[in-house]
Structures are given as C-alpha cells and as structure tokens.
C-alpha cells in the first residue's frame, strides 16, 4: 500500500498545510509579478523606475520562499525521525524471539538499523510530496480557470494522466521491472557468493571459468533488464510528454487568441510561467516513487520481526507482576511467621533476598510442561514433569534436538510454557517477576558472550556494584586471574584485542567468574562441547564442580564424569522424558541410556595394537 | 591509499571502455534539458509576438518549433534513460570483474581474513555503489557544462553582458552551493559515519549477548544506551538534512535572483531599443527553464565523495602485498607418477613477528595415511593452506616427488593436491552443480562413486529432486555434516593423488564420523591422505601421526607408540574419550 494512514499526519498538521499553501501562493505571486513586469516594459513602455518596486517585491518573495521550504522540510524530517525512533523503541521493547533463539541475528540487526533508516525517504520525502502533488495543482487550477477556461480544461484533462501512468507503472510495468530488480538482487547475491567462495574456486583452479561466468551472467541480465525497462520507460516518457505537449498546446492556443486580440499578454505570460509549476510536483512524485517502494519493503520486514516476538507488551505488564509478586511473597511470609512480619512493609529488596533464601530449600517443579516455539512447529518439549532438588546437581542428558536448551530457556523465563507450569516451591514461575527471578540465577552458556568492554566490566555485569577486589577474587576462584593479569592491560584489556584474543576455554572461565560474583542459589550450566581442547575442558569441569558446591544446579551434560557425579539425571529424547534417576538406576532401567553409555565405553578402551 | 585525483583517474580509466556510449547518453540528457529550454523560449516567443499582432505566417516556424521541442523532450529523455541504464549495468559488470580479478591472487591473505563475511559484504557493497559512477557523477556535470555553454551562446546573441551575468550566477548555484553544503556538512558527515559504526558495533555486540543482558538484568540499561545513540544520530541527521535542504532552496533563490538581476540590466535595454521587447520574456523564461539541471548537481558532488570512499576502501584491500604467482618451471610433473610429499624446515608467520608454524618436517609416502593432530589454533589449517599452494611458505622446502614447490605454479600444485577445507563453501545452485564445479566433465558414474565414498548416497536418495536439489531449498535441512560430505565428494571427484582433509569430522555424529573414516581408509588404497583433526577417534588407522602444538611438532609416531609414551598426545586422547557425544 503506497498511501498509508500516516499521510493524514500531513493533512491534519495545520502547520504543514499552511506552509504548503504559503509556498504555492508565493510561487503564483512571483509568476504574476514577473508577467506583469515584463508586460509593462514590453507593451506599456514603462522604464525601470516605474516597475522597480515590482522587481523588489519579487526579490522579497524570492527570499521568503526558501524559509518556508526550509520549515516544510524540517517538519517532515522530524516527523520521519519520530516514526523511526518509535519503531526502534518498540522493537527493543518486544525483544524479537529470533534474537533469543540466536537465529537470523544478522538479519534482525539489519532490519533494526538499515531497515528502519529506509523509512526515512518514505516518510520524509514521498508522503509530503504526495500531499503537495495534490495541493499545488489544485491551487493553480482554481486560479487558472477564471483567467482562461481553455487552459483550465487542458490542465484538468492532462493532470490525471500523470498519476494514472504512475500507478500504471506501479501495476504493470513496475511489476516487470520489479522482477528485474529482484534478479538484480539475485545477481549481487551470486557475486557475493562467488567472492566468498574464492578460496574454493582457487582450490579447484576454476578462477577463469568463474570470471567468464560472471561476465556472461551480467551480460544476459543487462540485455534482459533493458528489454523490460524499455517498456517501463515508455510510461515515464508518456508522463514527460503529457507535461511538455500540454504546455505546447496551451502556448499555441493562447498565442492564437492573442493574435485575434481577445487575450491579455500579461495573463498569457502568467499562464506560460505557471504551467511547468503545475506539472512539477507530480513529476517529482514519480522520482521519489522508488524510494517509497524501498520503504514499503522495509516496513514488511519490520512487521515480520515484530510479529516474531512472543513477549508482547512485556514492559506494560512488568508493574502488575511486580506488585502481585511482592504481595504474594508478603502473604507467604505472613503465613510462615505471622508474628514477625508485616506484609505492607516488605520492600522490593527484602523480597528479593527472601526468594534467595527460599530457593535454598525449595525444589523447582516442572509439571506437564509443553512448549512449541510457534504454533506450526512440533513441540520442543512434550508434557515434561520432573523435580530439581535444592542443593543437588541435576543433569540433563540427551541428543541434539532433544529439548535441553528449550528447558533452559523456560527456566530463564525467556519463554513461557505453552502448557503446564513450572513452580519454584509453591510459587508459579509465571507469577514471579522475571527480573526478580533472574536475580537468583547464575548462568553459564555453551558459548558465553563477551561484550566489547574491558574484562573487568565483562565480569562485573554479574554484579555491577562489585568492588575491584571482589572481581579479582571471583576470577581467582574461576582460575582465570593469572591469565587476565598476564594481559598487557590486565583487567582493563578488551576481549577482542590482538594478542589478548580470548579462547573458548577462557571465555568459559570468565562465565564461571561471573557466576562466583553473582553468588546465586540456582545455577544453570550448559557444558561446553566444542571450541575447547579436551585437556582444558577437563580442567574447566573440575572448576565447575567447585562452583556447584552448596548450590542448586541444573546442568546440560556431555561428559561421563559430569553425569556420574550428578545426583539425578533427566534423560530427554525428542522432547519427552525417557528416564529419571541416578546413573546406576538408569543403567538398569533404560535401554536408551545404556546404549549411549555403551558407545562411550567402547571409545574408552582404545584399540591399542 | 593515494590522493583523490589518483583514485578518480583509476575509476575513470575503468569506465573509459564505454566512452562512446557515455558520450551518447550524455548528449541525450543534454538534448532533453535543451528541448525543455527550447520549448519554453519558443512558447514565450509566440506569445510575445502574438501580442504585437505579428501575422500568423511569421509564427509558423515557432509553432512548429514548440511542437518539436514538446515531443523531442520526451523522446530524448527516454533515450537518455535507456542509454544510461545500459552503461550503468555495463559498469557494474566491469567493476565486479575488475574486483574479482584483483582480489583473486590475494586470497587467502596473510594480513586479513578476507573471507570474513563483514569485510566481503562491505567490499561487494562498495563495488555496487560504484555503479552510479556514470549516471550520478560523470553525466550531470557534463550536461551542466553543456547547458551553461548553450545559454551563454543564446544570451550572447542578445548581449554578451547577459551571458556573463547568467554564467556567474548559474555556475555559482550549480557548483558553489553544492560545495558550500559539502563543506558545511563534512564534519557532521564524519561524525555520523563514526556514530553509525558505533551503533552498529554496539547493536551487534548486544544482540548477540542478549541472553546475558537479560540474565544479568542489564537489558533496560542497554536499551537506553542504544536509544540514546540513536537519538544522537537522529539529531545529527536532522542537522544534516537542514544543510542538505539548502541545496534545493538556494538553487530556487539563485534562479529568481538571476531573473531579477537580468531584468534590471535588460529593462533599460528594452527602453532604449537595444533589446526587442519580445525577447525580454523569452530570456526570462529561458533562464528559468535552464535551472532544471541544477537540481542534479548536489547529488553529483555527494556521489563523487561516496565513490571516492568506496574506491579507496577497495584499493586498500587490493593493494595488500601478495606473492606474485610463479610461472611453471616443471610443466611435466603431473606425468611423473611419483608423489612423495616432503616438508623440510617449513616456517610461516602471518605478521612477520610470531611464527604460526616453525620448523615443520615430515614426509608422506605414496598411499600412506598421515594424521595431523592438535588443538584449535595450533596451526594445522595454515599448514593445509600452504600444502595446497594457497599460501606461500616463508622459508623451508616442500617437495612433490623431486620437484620443489618454488618451481610450481599454484594451479599445478592443486592438480596434485586436493583440500577439503574446514569451512566448506557450497555455491548457490544445485548439489550437482556444486559437484561438477570440481570436475565439469565428470561422468554420472564418477559422481556416483564420489557420493558413495563420502557416505552421501542415502541422503541424496531421500531428496525428491535428488542431485538437482537446490542448496537453498534445503536451507536448515542441510546439516553441517552433509555440507562437509558434499565438500569431500567434490574433492574426490578431482581424483588427485594426494587429498588433505581439514577437520572433516567435526560436527558429525559418531556413526557418520566412523563411516567417513571407513571411506578414507578405502580411498587411501589409491591415494595419499593427510587427515587433520582435533577429534581422536580411530587414530590407529593412520600410518603416522604428527602432533602440533603452538605451531611446532611436539610428538610424532604411530598411535600405539604415542599412547605408550604418555605425553601430550595420550593426555589429549584420554580426555577426549570421556566426552559423551
């Protein structure tokens, strides 16, 4: 849709309409003055001093007009800025789930930055121009009709041809050329592909052939595109011709009537000067048409990104949930120790500490939890029920796609279960404010993200108010302190910098340091599998278990040592629970579990000749 | 690199192939604008003459002129668009081919990871942005110049003073205003580019770490940071917009001023009879029509500086030092039938300071299987790239048979050695096209054999369109393992005596890994194999294992020997075995 409801902003904005009218009036007045001046000199033999005033007025108008146009421009630009800012804000408020799943992060960033920027031309150029293309011709038409009926008729009948052809471009020729633009995009995708694959091309000694192919494809494309554009250009030509030929008709028609003496020269000249101004806004609209198309396609990808969010209006609900939680916790405390507490006096901070101590004794329950990332998809988790015991290690074991990460995402409240409930003790996780909840979780993902900030800041994200000594202490406990201290800038080094480039193992240790610093009762860990060499990996696992002491731990496990040390193992298979129990129990009860371990055992006894 | 004049010259040189086409298109553009001026001038001539009751037969020529210009304008505009689009596409192709040709010898580069997505997408965007070089940069100034001359001559017919007055103001608005706005906006422009880079960097950083931000309750802070960056950008853009709007606004002002000044000069001439009154309106209206071209000039200046930046970035990449590829000295090596590979005292450094590989020595006899083992970053892939002739060694010697690498063109080396790289790149297209890329004339039988060897046949069987399935159609259904296996099949098709497998089994499940190792065993009956891995499964199948740590060989021998030694290798091996895959 080319004309959206935002157009009405320009119509509703009295300032904008007023500026448009003033600008048009000035243009018309100038044409009027000019024709009068020339007529006076030409026919009435006036000398310069007689018409000096007229020229000065003309100059004054020339100086005012830029100011008006400047204001018009600023107004539409600030309108576009406001829209851009609003869209970015709502994108950030809704956290597209594409980001949480780490899918298509690149295209999300692209839409957030470049896509939103593309709206600029649409809102700041196309829409105002569309408005002016209606306003100015109408204005001129109203003035011209009383002066010369015939010109009025010519204008009236030729004017619609331009928008008509513009929309014809929009429907027929443009569709064709849009197809070509699409293949242009394909062509650049092909080129990018080829450049990216250059090492492969060299490996196969095919550079010359590929070069020839680029040449061939671009040539074919050029010829095909031009044959399409040939047609598309015709409608552009008709637009152009309409304007010029109707000026020619008007000029000749007026000239002939001047000859017969029933027309005034000044008025004739006025019409001739104003005629191009009549067509100009409509022709300019045609020019901004392409950028409008760009804006519309950007709009689509923004909408798509917004729609991918399953956390609608999360910010609006925050307050409600906070109140509810504090009240509930207050009630609970009252029930536990009725004489010591007054629920109304419990501050936010108290309740937080309370959850913390509560979690030290309360188990977490999954009760028939089902989750699907979206309606069409298969269930990532299917009616899962199990218990995470406090201060024990619960290991999740399963193949890729079994639902292990989904389980973590739910516990972190990145997503809410589609069906069923997760409970912390007696509280439904849904009712607990997500920020309060996460304050009690330390999380070590497979590939911890290190921000483009100093290592100090990277550790401190776990506890922004932590002192330097606290950070060093947690780094020591994570056995990363010596490494950090060996960097040229120590704790003030950046993770990406040249020689201080952080390896996967070091990143893991920084995540462990974060967890020590946060000192949360609940620990969620995804054991590393890749990017770390086996020896470092073993060391890190040892560090993990130091951290695990006295905490409730849920760990996605990939190593036998870890699994053996876990108090309880939850075996997942295709989103369902295939077994729960200790290592020995599972070996007895689950064939699937036995199968996994048998493969391991075979591996462990290497075939030494 | 270099100054702007040099870059401009280089760009211009690339476009010179199309100089006649460009000249034609520019001429058409000139004629289109000229027809507009002609239309308005003859029209006002008719009106003014008619006002003096000139007999109609004296106006016939002018009336024909009006009709001619009215139609000609549309036609010239049409032709101009056609020709200029033709040139644009031709130029784009030209720039693309030029960049490909210049980049090819540089990859893989010592200095940069040129295959990294960011750098390349930037470069391809830069190449694309140069397509406007003719339409936006070359054409408008030429047309502007033409119109200036035309008007100079037309006004000169009446009075040379008019010509000069017009020229000063016309050139002032066509060149002066754009330069003024360019100067005014330069600082903001630089600031904007910097801020945009910062917001992009920050957004990428934060979007990638969004889970951390949420877990550590930093999301709200972050949001504020991004939004405040955005607001800074919007504020700057609004300043920029104000400056750039001066272009259009001042051009209108200049047009009116030119008209006013000329009226002041010309009206006394009419009074004294020096100028026929008819021409007062003709001149005025002609001047107004000529200002049409002015609107394109600011864009020309903006695109000129954009083209400079793009071209500069491209030249910065293309002027990286690289080793000139050698001409073949021993053209007959392929028929030697003696493919022992011998590496002696090989050293390599990316930055000239720290050695990525130092003092590497080993030998691979024909039809033997060599494994190169080590953790990531040890230098294994660099070694593979050197062996495949993609990177030149700094010092040391590599011999195939008795021929030194120094005497071989890289293309020749690769006729003997195939490499399945760690990152297999599949081109957009069908699976078959990707396979045939390695050997365009491969028979169906050869393809089948390669598929079988790389354990792909059952995967292909399951696809409805079999080998003619488009890679893009598969999307996420194509797993990392399948991509690797297509890469293997592709390398097998080349049928070289030596094949290097670089980390082909990472990201594969143990079953497939085992199957691939079986295939490699089979292949090794006819070929020499170098198998690079950090996964120590079934290492007993290799004749020899070299262990690389920090670019040096720390241990070598057979699997059983190395295990017995109980050094680094055995440590690696046992901790690896504890993984649950």
């Amino acid at each position: 849709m080319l004309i959206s409801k935002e157009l009405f902003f320009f119509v509703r904005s009295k300032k904008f309409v007023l500026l448009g009218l003033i600008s048009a009036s000035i243009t018309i007045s100038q044409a009027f003055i000019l024709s009068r001046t020339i007529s006076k000199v030409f026919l009435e033999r006036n000398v310069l001093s007689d018409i000096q005033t007229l020229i000065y007025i003309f100059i004054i108008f020339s100086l005012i007009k830029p100011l008006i146009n400047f204001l018009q421009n600023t107004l539409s630009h600030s309108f576009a800025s406001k829209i851009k800012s609003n869209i970015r804000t709502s994108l950030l408020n809704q956290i597209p789930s594409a980001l949480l799943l780490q899918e298509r992060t690149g295209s999300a960033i692209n839409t957030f930055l470049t896509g939103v920027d593309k709206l600029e031309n649409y809102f700041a150029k196309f829409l105002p121009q569309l408005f002016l293309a209606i306003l100015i011709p109408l204005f001129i038409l109203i003035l011209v009709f009383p002066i010369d009926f015939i010109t009025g008729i010519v204008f009236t009948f030729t004017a619609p041809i331009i928008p008509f052809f513009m929309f014809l471009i929009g429907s027929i020729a443009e569709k064709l050329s849009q197809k070509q633009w699409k293949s242009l995009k394909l062509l650049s995708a092909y080129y990018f592909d080829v450049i990216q694959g250059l090492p492969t091309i060299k490996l196969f000694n095919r550079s010359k052939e590929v070069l020839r192919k680029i040449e061939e494809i671009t040539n074919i494309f050029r010829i095909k595109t031009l044959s399409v554009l040939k047609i598309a250009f015709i409608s552009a030509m008709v637009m152009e011709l309409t304007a010029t030929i109707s000026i020619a008709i008007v000029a000749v028609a007026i000239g002939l009537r001047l000859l017969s003496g029933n027309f005034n020269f000044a008025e004739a000249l006025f019409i001739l000067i104003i005629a191009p101004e009549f067509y100009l806004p409509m022709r300019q609209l045609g020019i901004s048409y392409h950028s409008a198309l760009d804006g519309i396609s950007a709009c689509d990808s923004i909408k798509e990104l917004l729609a991918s969010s399953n956390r609608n209006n999360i910010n609006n609900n925050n307050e409600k949930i906070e109140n509810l939680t504090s009240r509930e916790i207050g009630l609970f405390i009252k029930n536990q120790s009725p004489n010591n507490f007054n629920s109304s006096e419990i501050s936010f901070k108290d309740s937080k500490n309370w959850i913390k101590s509560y979690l030290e004794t309360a188990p977490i329950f999954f009760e028939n939890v089902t989750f699907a990332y979206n309606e069409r998809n298969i269930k990532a988790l299917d009616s899962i029920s199990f218990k995470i015991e406090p201060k024990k290690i619960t290991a999740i074991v399963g193949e890729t796609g079994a639902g292990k990460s989904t389980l973590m995402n739910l516990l972190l409240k990145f997503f809410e279960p589609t069906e069923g409930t997760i409970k912390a003790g007696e509280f439904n996780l849904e009712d607990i404010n997500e920020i309060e909840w996460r304050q009690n979780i330390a999380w070590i993902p497979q590939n911890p993200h290190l921000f483009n900030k100093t290592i100090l800041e990277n550790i401190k994200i776990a506890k922004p108010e932590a002192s330097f000594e606290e950070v060093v202490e947690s780094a020591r406990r994570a056995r990363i302190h010596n490494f950090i201290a060996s960097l040229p800038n120590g704790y003030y080094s950046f993770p990406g910098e040249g020689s201080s480039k952080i390896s996967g193992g070091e990143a893991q240790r920084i995540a462990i340091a974060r967890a020590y610093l946060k000192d949360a009762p609940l620990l969620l860990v995804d054991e590393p599998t890749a990017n770390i060499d086996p020896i470092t990996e073993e060391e890190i696992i040892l560090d993990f278990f130091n951290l695990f002491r006295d905490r409730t731990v849920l760990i996605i496990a990939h190593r036998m040592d870890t699994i053996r040390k876990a108090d309880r193992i939850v075996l997942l298979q295709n989103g369902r629970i295939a077994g729960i129990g200790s290592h020995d129990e599972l070996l007895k009860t689950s064939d699937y579990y036995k199968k996994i371990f048998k493969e391991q055992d075979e591996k462990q006894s290497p075939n030494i000749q | 690199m270099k100054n702007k004049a040099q870059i401009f010259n280089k760009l211009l040189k690339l476009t010179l192939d199309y100089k006649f086409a460009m000249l034609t298109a520019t001429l058409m553009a000139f004629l289109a604008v000229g027809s507009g001026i002609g239309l308005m001038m003859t029209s006002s001539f008719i009106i003014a003459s008619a006002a003096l009751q000139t007999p109609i037969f004296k106006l016939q020529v002018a009336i024909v002129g009006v009709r001619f210009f009215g139609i000609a304008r549309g036609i010239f505009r049409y032709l101009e668009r056609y020709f200029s689009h033709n040139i644009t596409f031709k130029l784009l192709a030209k720039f693309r081919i030029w960049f490909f040709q210049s980049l090819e010898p540089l990859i893989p580069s010592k200095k940069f990871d040129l295959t990294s997505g960011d750098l390349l997408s930037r470069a391809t965007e830069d190449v694309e942005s140069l397509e406007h070089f003719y339409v936006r940069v070359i054409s408008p100034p030429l047309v502007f110049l033409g119109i200036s001359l035309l008007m100079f001559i037309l006004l000169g017919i009446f009075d040379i003073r008019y010509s000069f007055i017009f020229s000063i103001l016309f050139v002032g608005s066509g060149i002066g205003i754009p330069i003024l706005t360019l100067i005014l906006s330069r600082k903001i422009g630089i600031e904007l580019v910097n801020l945009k880079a910062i917001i992009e960097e920050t957004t990428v950083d934060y979007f990638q770490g969004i889970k951390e931000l949420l877990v550590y309750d930093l999301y709200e802070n972050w949001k504020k940071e991004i939004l405040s960056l955005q607001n800074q950008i919007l504020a700057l853009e609004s300043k920029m917009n104000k400056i750039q709007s001066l272009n259009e606004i001042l051009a209108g002002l200049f047009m009116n001023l030119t008209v006013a000044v000329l009226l002041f000069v010309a009206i006394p001439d009419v009074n004294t009879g020096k100028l026929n009154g008819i021409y007062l309106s003709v001149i005025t209206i002609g001047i107004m029509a000529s200002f049409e071209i002015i609107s394109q000039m600011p864009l020309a200046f903006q695109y000129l500086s954009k083209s400079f930046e793009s071209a500069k970035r491209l030249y910065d990449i293309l002027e990286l030092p690289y080793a000139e590829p050698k001409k073949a000295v021993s053209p007959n090596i392929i028929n030697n039938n003696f493919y022992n590979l011998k590496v002696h005292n090989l050293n390599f450094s990316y930055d000239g300071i720290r050695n990525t590989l130092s003092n590497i020595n080993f030998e691979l006899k024909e039809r033997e299987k060599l494994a190169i083992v080590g953790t990531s970053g040890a230098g294994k892939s660099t070694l593979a790239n050197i062996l495949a002739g993609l990177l030149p060694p700094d010092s040391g010697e590599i011999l195939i048979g008795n021929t030194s690498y120094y005497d071989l063109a890289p293309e020749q080396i690769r006729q003997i050695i195939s490499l399945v790289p760690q990152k297999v790149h599949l081109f957009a297209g069908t699976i078959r096209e990707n396979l045939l890329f390695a050997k365009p004339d491969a028979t169906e039988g050869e393809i089948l054999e390669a598929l079988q060897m790389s354990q792909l046949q059952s995967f292909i069987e399951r696809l409805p369109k079999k080998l003619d399935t488009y890679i893009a159609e598969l999307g996420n259904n194509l797993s990392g393992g399948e991509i690797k296996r297509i890469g293997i099949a592709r390398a097998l098709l080349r049928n070289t005596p030596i094949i290097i497998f670089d980390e082909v089994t990472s990201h594969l499940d143990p079953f497939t890994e085992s199957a691939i190792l079986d295939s490699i065993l089979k292949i090794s009956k006819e070929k020499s194999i170098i198998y690079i891995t950090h996964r120590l499964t079934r290492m007993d199948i290799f004749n020899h294992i070299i262990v690389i740590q920090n670019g040096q060989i720390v241990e070598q021998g057979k699997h059983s020997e190395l295990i017995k030694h109980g050094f680094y290798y055995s440590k690696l091996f046992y901790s690896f075995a504890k993984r649950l895959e």
Side-chain angles (χ1 to χ4, degrees), chain A residues 8 17 25 41 44 53 101 116 126 152 154 172 193 196 273 278 281 289 343 347 353 381 445 507 514 535:
Chain A
F8 293 108
V17 175
S25 312
V41 175
E44 296 166 31
T53 339
L101 296 173
V116 175
F126 181 75
V154 173
I172 309 163
D193 187 33
Q196 216 174 12
I273 294 174
F278 178 77
Y289 183 83
S343 69
S347 69
N353 285 335
L381 288 177
R514 283 173 180 168
I535 295 173

Side-chain angles (χ1 to χ4, degrees), chain A residues 46 92-93 188 191 193 202 204-207 222 230 244 259 449 452-453 533 537-538 558 600, chain B residues 53-54 70 78 86 96 104 107 128 205-206 212 219 223 375 411 414 428 437 578-580:
Chain A
N46 280 6
L92 288 183
N93 281 342
S188 38
Y191 185 67
D193 187 33
K202 280 182 87 171
F204 295 126
N205 290 342
R206 296 290 304 276
S207 303
R222 181 175 56 84
K230 242 190 255 174
T244 51
L259 269 183
H449 182 78
N452 190 16
K453 300 185 157 64
D533 67 81
E537 191 182 293
E538 252 192 319
H558 304 286
Q600 280 298 305
Chain B
Q53 306 297 317
T54 314
Y78 177 87
N86 192 13
R96 280 185 171 150
E104 198 256 1
I107 276 186
E128 255 161 61
D205 189 24
Y206 288 174
E212 267 91 348
Y219 187 75
K223 208 168 78 188
T375 57
E411 285 77 14
R414 292 192 285 266
F437 193 80
K578 282 186 200 153
R579 271 188 186 176
L580 183 67

Side-chain angles (χ1 to χ4, degrees), chain B residues 3 38 63 148 201 209 359 412 468 502 505 507 514 547 556 562:
Chain B
N3 58 41
I63 290 175
S148 305
E201 207 175 85
N359 211 17
Q412 286 180 303
D468 296 312
D502 189 3
T505 58
H507 306 295
S514 200
V547 185
Q556 50 184 318
L562 290 171

